[in-house]
Amino acid sequence: MSGGDKLPVLAFPAPSPSRPRAADPRQLARAAEALRQASEGKATLGRRDEGPPAPGAPMPEDSFTPVGIPRGRAGPRESGREGLSRISRIAAPKDAAARRILSLHLPHFAIERWQRQAARGGEAPPEGTPLALALEGPHGPVIHAVNGAARGMGLGPGARVVDMRAICPELRTAFADPRADAAALQRLMLWARRWCPWTAVDGADALVMDITGADHLWGGEAMMLEEIGTRLAGLGLTARAAIAPTRGAAWALARFGAPRAICGAEDLAMRTDPLPATALRLDAATVQLLDRLGLSTIGALRAVPRPSLARRFRAGPPEADPLLRLDQLSGRTPEPVDSPDDPPRFTVQARLPEPVIDPVPHLPALADELCAALVAGGFGARRLALALYRTDGEVAQAQAATSRPSHDAAHMVRLFEGRLDGLDPGFGFDLITLAALVAEALPPRQRRLDGEAEGAEDLARLIDRLSARFGARALTRPRPAPSHIPERQTLWLPALHLPPQRFAPRADRPLRLFEPPEELRVLYAVPEGPPAQFVWRRQRLRVARFAGPERIAPEWWRDRRGTRLRDYFRIEDHTGRRFWLYREGLLGDGRGAEPRWFLHGAFA
């Protein structure tokens, strides 16, 4: 190694005879490392002190061989790959084998999506024509993705289109659409939930799935990988998949390992040590620096003492921290699958032997199975989701909600009546799932002696069906609000989202209020009383009898400054009709001119 490649070493001044000699910082680092290993149970590695180093020999913590393996690190029985594998197994947490992560890499997703869309529109180029998707760069269009014919001619992403035309004059180009690619990858992520409930997008061309406990549904991990590869090949997508105990290991094996690699916790180090340092998801500058230091593989980097890596790389982001990436790969640092939403607790699915167009005949069996699971758990569904997985990689969904928890299968089926007609079946569905997105506790209740359902249940079913047919906002229910202003005392909210409760309005208030209150033209008013005659809707009305006033002051914490108080009167006109009107303001209150009169409601 050259002098520029060595790690910086701080020079300490020589201790004076009058002071006690300071401890060597490198010996302190070795002692701290030994203490940490002892606390983590690494003392069983059989590594003992070989005594002080020979005079003139470099310190083992800061010295590297040309291949990046520290001298004096491994004993004679733990040298090479065996020693590294044993260190990795001990450093990994005990539950490292409990998780199984699948990384699905789609290296040519952008160009293959474009080709598939062009084929649907009849604009696909002839077979064997070199094609490239380009993006605008600072000095002209830059290649974003190429097809197989262009790759065979040496073209690749990152190069300028004008330069590649000199190599391949027959190159055809089209503009890339990263937003459409991201949207298609998001839809593919939802479609991938046919294999497991935990899926997430991983970058611009990959998916990550937590398949823990789901592989047995497909006959094992090997059969699951074969199923995924076959399905994606049918969609025209090139895919590389790998399964490992950690997300970092699965990512590395999917891109740099053998096709359809399956790695266990016991052989994690053996399978990942030969991979290049790029497999740790490091940026280009960090990979170049590691290559200059002779650390070109994960195994070489794993053999470097942790304090040395921490001193050199801890100041950077995760993409520039090899120690953090090593911990994520080995399972020392957890890295869960960040799925956009949690999978439902209760879900059932029906795999069909061949695609179908109409999913309605399969709904009763799915509803019966879902309700059996809900009853066994003591729950009732509040929100249902029906997902239809199409053979072309799309997912059609329909949702329904209930006002009360329910595990009635027939009622669930009726909620989807007429709601599946607008779903596009494409070339057919081959997988149907019914899930309870929201479930609430529903203890068993004793029915009436005659076996009939309670009236509240019938009302809840009616609300559910009307809301499913006409929309949740079409059916409202009153709910009291904490206010003494009449128009603010009642809120009309969707009946589907409100729990059933008794609403008893005041007897001295009308059920019907005008919104907004209608202004009156007063012809003659009784002092401190209601108007004797007034005009409302071009009708002259004479007051026969009245009751009041009931004074309501404004809410100072809510109303604007200068809002006037109200005096409400219940009156009856000469024809027998009863109204509720009020006078806004008083003479001389300093908040306006003459008081104004309004009609606020009418009694039945």
Side-chain angles (χ1 to χ4, degrees), residues 107 133 142-146 151 155-160:
L133 300 181
V142 177
I143 292 180
H144 176 67
V146 295
R151 284 192 299 272
L155 280 65
R160 293 197 308 165

Side-chain angles (χ1 to χ4, degrees), residues 129-154:
T129 303
L131 174 68
L133 300 181
L135 293 173
E136 285 294 338
H139 303 290
V142 177
I143 292 180
H144 176 67
V146 295
N147 63 353
R151 284 192 299 272
M153 296 182 180

Side-chain angles (χ1 to χ4, degrees), residues 244-265:
T246 63
R247 182 173 178 175
W251 192 95
L253 292 172
R255 290 155 178 79
F256 301 95
R260 299 181 183 178
I262 299 177
C263 176

